[in-house]
Structures are given as structure tokens and as C-alpha cells.
Amino acid sequence: MSEKKPACPDPSRARALGHDVRRRIFETLQSRAATPAELAREMDLTLEQAAYHTAVLVDSGCIERLQRRPREGTLENLYVAAAASWRSCSRPSP
């Protein structure tokens, strides 16, 4: 018998984390906070791509806004992974 991957408590979170970019963003935000602009630079994405995938993760409850701060005439959002219990959703079982 094969071992089953632990089920995510919410299917929308599992769907959100089913995309490679969103999974990489989520894994990054488990260890530190970052803005979509920082994520875009680090992951070789456009700002629009990073912002889109970040919004999907926020909507699904995987990440949350930690802070909104002014920067160069605009507001910059800083995000972190939400509850630690969602970590099992992003990693395959051993």
C-alpha cells in the first residue's frame, strides 16, 4: 500500500498551492516576510505575475498581509505564510 499525502483542511488551499510559482512563494513566506516586488526579483517573475499569485494565496488563506507601508508614493504590502498547519499542504509526504 502506498502512503497517502496528508489532506489539506480546505480544498481551495490545495488548489492554490497546486501551482509551482504559488508553492514557491508560500514556501518562501514560511521563513520570512516579503513583498510581491521582492518575490518577483528573487523568482525571476514580473511584478504583475508575483502580485497575481500572491493575491490567489491571500484569497485562499495560505498567506496573509503582515503590514502595509508607504514606499515611493505608493503603499507596499508585506506578506507572510498564514498558519503553520498549512505547511503539510505544500510538501509531499515522505
Side-chain angles (χ1 to χ4, degrees), residues 32-51:
R32 66 179 179 88
T35 66
E38 292 167 341
L39 294 166
R41 281 190 301 273
E42 293 169 18
M43 297 182 185
D44 196 28
L45 303 169
T46 66
L47 178 56
E48 292 78 15
Q49 289 170 322

Side-chain angles (χ1 to χ4, degrees), residues 37 41 69-76:
R41 281 190 301 273
R69 58 190 182 200
R71 179 169 167 87
E72 299 177 8
T74 189
L75 291 176
E76 181 176 68

